[in-house]
Amino acid sequence: MNVDKKLYTLKYSPDIESHLHPNQAECNICNSKCCTYICPAQVYEWDDDRKLLIVNFENCLECGACRIACERSCLGWQYPKGTKGVTFKQG
């Protein structure tokens, strides 16, 4: 089973507020923007016109790859509150 099919088996209950809080000033001077390609759920997008990191937090798998890979260590990251976030199940 490929990754896309496995991602389809996940259940999401997104919060209305993001649990991901990047420091936009640090993101702006980041060289690699590695969060935009390291995330398996494509949560982060760099908008070059606005010089802004867009965070699609609703898709987050809570794997933590982004905060480990961030060269600026500027991703404020916590688990979603309560029953919000992703639920993993067998598929």
Side-chain angles (χ1 to χ4, degrees):
M1 183 180 286
N2 68 27
V3 173
D4 290 331
K5 286 183 180 180
K6 286 186 180 199
L7 289 175
Y8 185 73
T9 68
L10 300 176
K11 177 183 170 193
Y12 294 93
S13 178
D15 200 346
I16 57 171
E17 295 179 21
S18 179
H19 63 287
L20 306 169
H21 304 283
N23 178 325
Q24 293 288 351
E26 289 291 321
C27 294
N28 206 2
I29 58 175
C30 176
N31 291 321
S32 70
K33 310 282 191 277
C34 68
C35 61
T36 62
Y37 58 85
I38 198 80
C39 176
Q42 302 174 347
V43 168
Y44 303 97
E45 298 175 60
W46 180 251
D47 185 328
D48 209 25
D49 293 334
R50 297 188 297 167
K51 305 292 186 220
L52 180 73
L53 185 65
I54 299 167
V55 181
N56 301 303
F57 70 94
E58 305 89 352
N59 297 339
C60 182
L61 299 174
E62 302 162 29
C63 67
C66 57
R67 71 179 165 167
I68 293 168
C70 180
E71 71 181 50
R72 311 283 313 166
S73 298
C74 69
L75 290 176
W77 192 102
Q78 62 193 43
Y79 285 105
K81 51 186 163 160
T83 60
K84 301 300 181 188
V86 65
T87 302
F88 296 95
K89 59 185 178 179
Q90 296 293 329

